[in-house]
Amino acid sequence: MPIPVMPILKFVLAALALILATPCAAGPAEDRAAILAVVARMEAAWNRGDFRGYMAGFRNPDVVFVSGGKFQDGWQGTLDHYVRDYGASPATRGALHFYDMKVELLAPDAAMLVGRYHLERPVHAAEGVNTRLFRKIGGQWLITLNHVSAYDVPPAPILPAPPSAPAAPSDRPAN
């Protein structure tokens, strides 16, 4: 008995269409790059004074955020903290820079980032370490847990001016 070709061909074409329509999972390099892009967008948003844009990197509403030994009250509480404590002016907001970031992929939908930051401000410059748990939710990497370990940067000491060099003998007035 001959095998009917048409139903098999339809099945193969339908399976091929389904495979081609399914989005490919990102590889580790793409996931790392996507996570670092989230952090870069957050840094840029902070530096232009866009605290909501900064918070777009965090899961809303139930991010767990720990700073200064205290839990913030979710996404909204963290936003309120930033607006209240940093939003008065560009000087109080400062310039934020994240660096020395290491991303470890824990699962296809989970990653940990440990990195350093520096917040340059005229008064109370700070730096420290962020430990962040990212989860891939709806195809988007978001911070679900953020822990900050910060310390104030001591002000640079004001050094005395170097003593003036004595005048050379030819520069001395004649007696």
Side-chain angles (χ1 to χ4, degrees), residues 1 14 26 28 37 53 59 69-70 75 90 95 115 118 130 134 140 152 156 173:
M1 177 161 171
R59 185 174 187 180
K70 298 176 186 170
W75 191 94
H118 180 82
N130 277 316
F134 278 81
Q140 180 181 355
D152 290 339

Side-chain angles (χ1 to χ4, degrees), residues 105-122:
L105 297 173
L106 305 172
D109 68 340
M112 180 179 64
L113 179 145
V114 177
R116 299 173 55 113
Y117 75 92
H118 180 82
L119 180 61
E120 186 62 42
R121 302 189 293 175

Side-chain angles (χ1 to χ4, degrees), residues 51-89:
F51 294 115
R52 276 195 173 278
Y54 179 81
M55 291 298 298
F58 295 95
R59 185 174 187 180
N60 187 356
D62 53 358
V63 65
V64 175
F65 195 103
V66 182
S67 177
K70 298 176 186 170
F71 286 91
Q72 298 293 333
D73 187 19
W75 191 94
Q76 188 62 51
T78 303
L79 174 61
D80 294 345
H81 154 68
Y82 286 140
V83 170
R84 179 185 63 247
D85 296 347
Y86 297 92
S89 70

Side-chain angles (χ1 to χ4, degrees), residues 7 14 33 39 47 49 61 71 77 88 105 124 132 145 165 169 175:
V39 175
N47 290 332
F71 286 91
L105 297 173
H124 299 295
R132 294 173 163 166
L145 179 131
N175 289 347

